[in-house]
């Protein structure tokens, strides 16, 4: 048994999107969210590992491009470096971008902490013909340098050895004579690196000045400022500009000396015929997708419909004869849906036909081409950023997500779980088992924990959440989301932000609570406030979005399109007005675009599993508590009416009089504050029972989407923006959502839209 005698801190530092979280996960065996875009890590993650007799506390930090931070997440990393005083720093770098790497290495040298340099993504560098002289860099800085491919675990064992040999880096260039006076002013035990203190003071940022004063004290800060002013009066330019000039010279020389580019033939040059075949299949797949979508709208026979008509009836009849025995009928229900649904049923066989005709013809050729052709991935990356081609590509992506989440998840899987598993077997079996009385009502009554709470959580929300998480994980790992940031930059500028803000917005489709924290990657307080407001207003979380897509798809594509357009238009309107009413400036749009990559199935499944674990552990109990609240309201009698009826009557003027919705929707809006997806699930259940018309579906979905943020999101808004702003956001959103819903209802009724 090895005796643990020491405990050290190891900090992972590096540029955004270089694989720090992958290495953190490998070192500590703790999960950390990994995606192919910058800004995934906005909070500090901690874990443990042991090497020999030494136990390490491993700290994963948000990405930085410089120790002169430009955003909140970069500021967090800088504070951690200075406050935590790590024993070892592991700088994780992108091997393809040596210049950006060495800029951070140069600044880390000033900290005087043992350092290891990890050149990650070595496989991508090799594919591009980039060779890095790692031994040369090790000799230059006098530190261990390791090349890794972290996603596949290559080189990580060498990293463990390097950590044990970490040494204090040697700065390649000594300080010049210009720093002499500043050094004297700072003294020997400064508590802050000299060059960093100079850069922070001379940027003119008040926050940096306070940080310098906190580390150095007032006396030494004033001495240093005096020395800097003296230098500027003599040399006629700030000292930090001279430091920057020397650093730029070093970086130019180092990149020339240690990085070599070699011309290598592209993979497709040796397999051009196969690539052309897959390109042709992709074109055919796009035609089939367009045929399926447009044909469905116009009522024209589509390949999917023809296949269903030709195959399903005889196959279902044959299977029914084969599985007619009572114990086996559930298998037939899973394969072909419940009896009486016809060829449009939601069984696994119809779903397989749906996927083969509407998803696979596009996804499979794209996946194959991304694997075998670097030219294709490069061209695809360029096309996704240009408006003329990027918008059509975005429409194709949205259609595929809609088909997978809105149909596979919200129709097929929800139908199987709700109608077959819960509706036909589980709930009836428990109703027969439990005698009538209090526990019967509590568990399997109209507001029972199983018949309503678990049915909402497991049968309605979980399938759509699961399929959405898979689709979202594929988009995250592919590198498509940063290109969406470039594509949406012009629109977001109208709303007081820049393209970088699209990341929190898209992440909000996963979880608004986490996305609100991700607004820290934005550079200015104005951008962060506008992004927080828009997230709370009209960006539905994954569960809510999935339920909305499923509910709307149950009516028609027009309903889906109308809801999306109304919500999007309100986001743009509120963003546009906020940009003009909220004081402050917009940050510059400087954003790293990662390469397009084939998503790793293992990583996507790991992320999906982690997110589902979060859903089951955090959301399902909330669903049960919300159901219990409805149960109590239903049981409590006030006069001749229950508490639930009093609540519905109290909201009747708004719900029925203003929105023209069934009075039952009142409870979904109230419960929507606890969890918006719970409210959406209530609408979904109401619609499946025929309680909503198409017009009412549009109005109710608009209101529940624009409605108040859920409780968890509200608490995070308080944390990020403070009480006053959080209450102001809720105070604006609630009447605004009801006002928009009322106007939409009036327009639909007056012009008889979706009336049939």
């Amino acid at each position: 048994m090895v005796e643990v005698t020491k405990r050290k801190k190891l900090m992972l530092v590096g540029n955004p999107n270089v694989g720090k979280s992958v290495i953190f996960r490998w070192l500590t065996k703790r999960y950390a969210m990994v995606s192919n875009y910058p800004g995934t890590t906005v909070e500090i993650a901690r874990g443990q590992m042991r090497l020999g007799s030494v136990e390490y506390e491993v700290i994963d930090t948000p990405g930085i491009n410089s120790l002169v931070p430009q955003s909140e997440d970069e500021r967090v990393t800088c504070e951690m470096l200075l406050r935590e005083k790590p024993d070892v720093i592991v700088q994780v770098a992108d091997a393809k971008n040596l210049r950006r790497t060495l800029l951070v290495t140069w600044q880390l040298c000033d900290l005087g902490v043992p350092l290891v340099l990890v050149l990650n993504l070595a496989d991508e560098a090799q594919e591009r013909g980039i060779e890095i002289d790692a031994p040369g860099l090790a000799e230059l800085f006098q530190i261990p340098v390791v090349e890794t491919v972290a996603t596949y675990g290559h080189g990580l064992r060498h990293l463990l050895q390097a950590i044990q040999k970490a040494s204090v880096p040697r700065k390649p260039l000594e300080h010049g004579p210009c720093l002499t006076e500043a050094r004297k002013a700072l003294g020997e035990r400064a508590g802050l690196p000299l060059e960093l203190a100079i850069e922070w003071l001379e940027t003119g940022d008040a926050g940096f000045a306070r940080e310098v004063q906190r580390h150095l004290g007032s006396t030494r800060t004033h001495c240093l400022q005096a020395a800097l002013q003296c230098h500027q009066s003599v040399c006629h330019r700030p000292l930090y500009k001279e430091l920057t000039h020397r650093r730029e010279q070093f970086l130019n020389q180092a990149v020339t000396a240690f990085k070599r580019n070699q011309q290598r033939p592209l993979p497709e040059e040796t397999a051009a015929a196969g690539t052309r075949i897959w390109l042709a299949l992709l074109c055919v797949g796009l035609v089939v997708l367009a045929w399926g979508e447009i044909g469905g709208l116009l009522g024209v026979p589509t390949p999917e419909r023809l296949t269903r008509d030709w195959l399903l009836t005889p196959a279902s009849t044959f299977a029914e004869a084969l599985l007619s025995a009572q114990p086996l009928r559930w298998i037939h229900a899973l394969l072909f849906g419940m009896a009486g649904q016809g060829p449009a049923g939601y069984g696994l066989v119809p779903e397989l036909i749906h996927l083969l005709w509407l998803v696979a013809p596009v996804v499979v050729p794209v996946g194959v081409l991304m694997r075998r052709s670097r030219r294709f991935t490069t061209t695809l990356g360029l096309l996704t950023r240009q408006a003329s081609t990027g918008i059509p590509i975005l429409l194709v992506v949205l259609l595929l997500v809609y088909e997978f989440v809105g149909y596979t998840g919200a129709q097929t899987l929800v139908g199987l779980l709700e109608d077959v598993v819960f509706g036909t077997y589980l709930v009836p079996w428990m109703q027969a088992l439990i005698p009538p009385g209090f526990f019967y009502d509590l568990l399997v009554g109209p507001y029972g924990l199983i018949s309503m709470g678990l049915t909402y959580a497991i049968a309605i929300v979980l399938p759509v959440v699961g399929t959405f998480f898979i689709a979202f994980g594929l988009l995250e790992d592919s590198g498509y989301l940063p290109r969406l940031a470039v594509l949406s930059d012009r629109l977001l500028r109208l709303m007081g932000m820049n393209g970088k803000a699209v990341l929190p917005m898209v992440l909000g489709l996963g979880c608004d609570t986490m996305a609100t924290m991700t607004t820290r990657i934005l550079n200015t307080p104005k951008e962060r406030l506008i992004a927080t407001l828009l997230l709370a207003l009209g960006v539905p979380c994954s569960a809510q979005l999935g339920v909305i897509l499923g509910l709307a798809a149950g009516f028609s594509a027009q309903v889906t399109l109308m809801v999306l357009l109304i919500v999007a238009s309100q986001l743009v309107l509120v963003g546009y007005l906020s940009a003009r009413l909220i004081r402050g400036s917009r940050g510059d749009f400087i954003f790293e675009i990662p390469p397009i990559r084939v998503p790793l199935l293992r990583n996507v499944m790991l992320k999906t599993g982690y997110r589902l674990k979060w859903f089951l552990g955090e959301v399902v109990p909330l669903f049960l508590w919300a159901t219990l609240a409805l149960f109590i309201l239903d049981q409590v009698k006030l006069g001749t009416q229950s508490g639930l009826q009093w609540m519905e009557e109290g909201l009747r003027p708004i719900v029925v009089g203003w929105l023209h919705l069934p009075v039952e929707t009142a409870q979904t809006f109230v419960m929507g504050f606890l969890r918006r997806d719970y409210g959406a699930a209530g609408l979904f259940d109401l619609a499946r029972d025929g309680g909503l018309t198409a017009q009412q579906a549009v109005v109710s979905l608009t209101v529940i989407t624009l409605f108040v943020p859920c409780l968890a999101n509200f608490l995070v808004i308080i944390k990020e923006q403070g009480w006053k702003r959080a209450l102001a956001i809720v105070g604006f959103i609630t009447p605004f959502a009801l006002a928009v819903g009322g106007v939409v209802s009036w327009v639909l009724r007056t012009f008889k839209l979706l009336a049939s």
Side-chain angles (χ1 to χ4, degrees), residues 14 27 204 288 332 445 448 518 562 567 604 651 667 688:
L27 291 176
V288 171
H332 182 272
T518 310
M562 191 171 288
V567 173
V604 173
L651 294 174
Q667 55 185 274
R688 283 174 73 90

Side-chain angles (χ1 to χ4, degrees), residues 454-486:
L454 277 187
T455 300
Y456 277 18
I458 305 298
I460 295 178
V461 179
L462 183 63
V464 290
V465 166
T467 48
F468 179 83
F469 285 161
I470 292 173
F472 194 59
L474 290 170
L475 291 177
E476 281 184 315
D477 273 26
S478 68
Y480 176 70
L481 298 184
R483 287 158 175 82
L484 199 56
V486 177

Side-chain angles (χ1 to χ4, degrees), residues 453 456-457 461 619-628 675 677-678 681:
Y456 277 18
V461 179
V619 179
V620 172
L622 285 175
F623 271 54
L624 294 178
W625 281 112
T627 305
L628 183 62
R675 286 288 305 182
D677 42 355
Y678 186 92

Side-chain angles (χ1 to χ4, degrees), residues 132 312 357 367 429 451:
I132 303 297
L312 279 186
W357 277 115
W429 176 74
S451 56

